[in-house]
Amino acid sequence: MSFEKHQEEVSEKMKWVYAKLAGQATANRGMTGRHLMMFYKGCVEPAMLYGCEFWAENARKIALKRKLLSMQRRVLLKVAKAKHTVSHDEFRVLAGVTPIGLQIEEKVKRWEDKEEGRDAAESNGARREETLEEWQRRWQDT
């Protein structure tokens, strides 16, 4: 499967997930932010990151990166219960969710470390720290 085909399938899946999430977020006074975040972390994020070790190079293209960020934004606006006027950077900080591009890079680096035989726990900690430092740098630049 090509990356573009994968991207289309994930995009369609996320539209369906978003519709379900939007319905649940408003039904019966809405789900709490904690429940919506569990839904995001357990369903949306894994679907978006599935197999990224193999298609990550394509995700670096600006147009495709925008699609990924757009999908993440749509769902996280419901999770954070934020207005659509909130900037990309602000609502990710409010929701406490790393931008999807940085998550992809982190996952790919951890996979490369595993292939090189590095200790998984050490790799996970080091790569997470790198990701958070990059996210902080980007936040300060905005």
Side-chain angles (χ1 to χ4, degrees), residues 23-141:
Q24 289 299 316
T26 57
N28 301 323
R29 295 190 204 156
M31 294 172 67
T32 66
R34 186 172 57 101
H35 291 114
L36 291 168
M37 184 56 78
M38 284 174 37
F39 181 77
Y40 173 78
K41 289 284 189 184
C43 180
V44 176
E45 208 170 77
M48 291 178 70
L49 294 173
Y50 180 75
C52 71
E53 298 88 350
F54 303 102
W55 52 258
E57 195 62 41
N58 289 315
R60 291 183 179 113
K61 297 175 183 172
I62 292 174
L64 298 174
K65 193 180 284 189
R66 283 185 183 153
K67 274 187 173 181
L68 288 169
L69 288 170
S70 175
M71 284 191 293
Q72 185 186 35
R73 177 182 173 81
R74 176 180 275 177
V75 175
L76 283 179
L77 281 174
K78 282 291 181 195
V79 170
K81 297 191 177 193
K83 300 287 184 191
H84 69 278
T85 56
V86 175
S87 78
H88 287 276
D89 296 323
E90 288 173 343
F91 85 85
R92 283 188 186 88
V93 169
L94 289 172
V97 176
T98 312
I100 196 73
L102 288 177
Q103 290 180 19
I104 291 168
E105 292 294 325
E106 177 183 343
K107 196 167 179 183
V108 168
K109 288 176 184 175
R110 288 192 332 228
W111 182 70
E112 289 169 350
D113 288 349
K114 182 180 177 183
E115 291 292 307
E116 293 173 2
R118 293 192 180 133
D119 179 52
E122 185 180 308
S123 171
N124 290 346
R127 297 306 183 183
R128 188 67 190 152
E129 186 66 32
E130 288 174 12
T131 299
L132 293 175
E133 286 173 7
E134 176 61 18
W135 190 22
Q136 181 65 38
R137 186 193 62 73
R138 288 182 185 184
W139 174 245
Q140 288 173 341
D141 290 346

